[in-house]
């Protein structure tokens, strides 16, 4: 969420994706209104006051921990998919495809 909405390096990509699905009338107002609302939310959660490098370092550490936990297994907990696998898949997919 931070990289898409707060980080100025990635915001243009997010904005372009957002306006590609937006009616022309809303293109001028909506992207910045949405961004400002999400930035406020990020700050209210405490994430916005942490240095950018710390946020990305934390994300890398979290991914490394997931990889270590998964190891060479197909799933995190059992021999079949659980809600934990689905949550990890959705989160990692979001990171990779975001």
């Amino acid at each position: 969420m931070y990289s898409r909405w707060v980080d100025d390096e990635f915001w243009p990509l997010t904005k372009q994706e957002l306006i590609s699905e937006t009616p022309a009338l809303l293109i001028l107002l909506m992207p910045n209104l949405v961004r400002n609302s999400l930035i406020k939310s990020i700050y209210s959660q405490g994430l916005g006051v942490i240095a950018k490098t710390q946020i990305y370092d934390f994300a890398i550490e979290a991914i490394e921990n997931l990889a270590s936990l998964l190891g060479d297994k197909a799933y995190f907990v059992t021999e079949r998919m659980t809600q934990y696998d689905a949550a990890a898949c959705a989160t990692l997919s979001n990171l990779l495809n975001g």
Side-chain angles (χ1 to χ4, degrees), residues 27-40:
I27 287 177
L28 295 175
L29 298 174
M30 194 182 77
N32 289 329
L33 288 174
V34 171
R35 183 182 192 206
N36 290 337
S37 174
L38 287 167
I39 287 173
K40 285 179 187 176

Side-chain angles (χ1 to χ4, degrees), residues 16-85:
Q16 184 59 43
E17 184 66 26
L18 187 63
I19 65 174
S20 72
E21 302 292 327
T22 304
L25 184 61
L26 297 177
I27 287 177
L28 295 175
L29 298 174
M30 194 182 77
N32 289 329
L33 288 174
V34 171
R35 183 182 192 206
N36 290 337
S37 174
L38 287 167
I39 287 173
K40 285 179 187 176
S41 175
I42 289 168
Y43 273 85
S44 71
Q45 295 170 18
L47 190 59
V49 297
I50 299 171
K52 177 178 164 177
T53 55
Q54 286 180 292
I55 292 170
Y56 288 121
D57 287 346
F58 176 74
I60 291 168
E61 181 181 346
I63 292 167
E64 289 171 345
N65 288 336
L66 280 174
S68 177
L69 181 62
L70 183 60
D72 61 354
K73 300 180 295 189
Y75 302 106
F76 283 100
V77 181
T78 66
E79 294 299 316
R80 59 189 187 127
M81 184 176 277
T82 66
Q83 70 260 22
Y84 303 108
D85 300 290

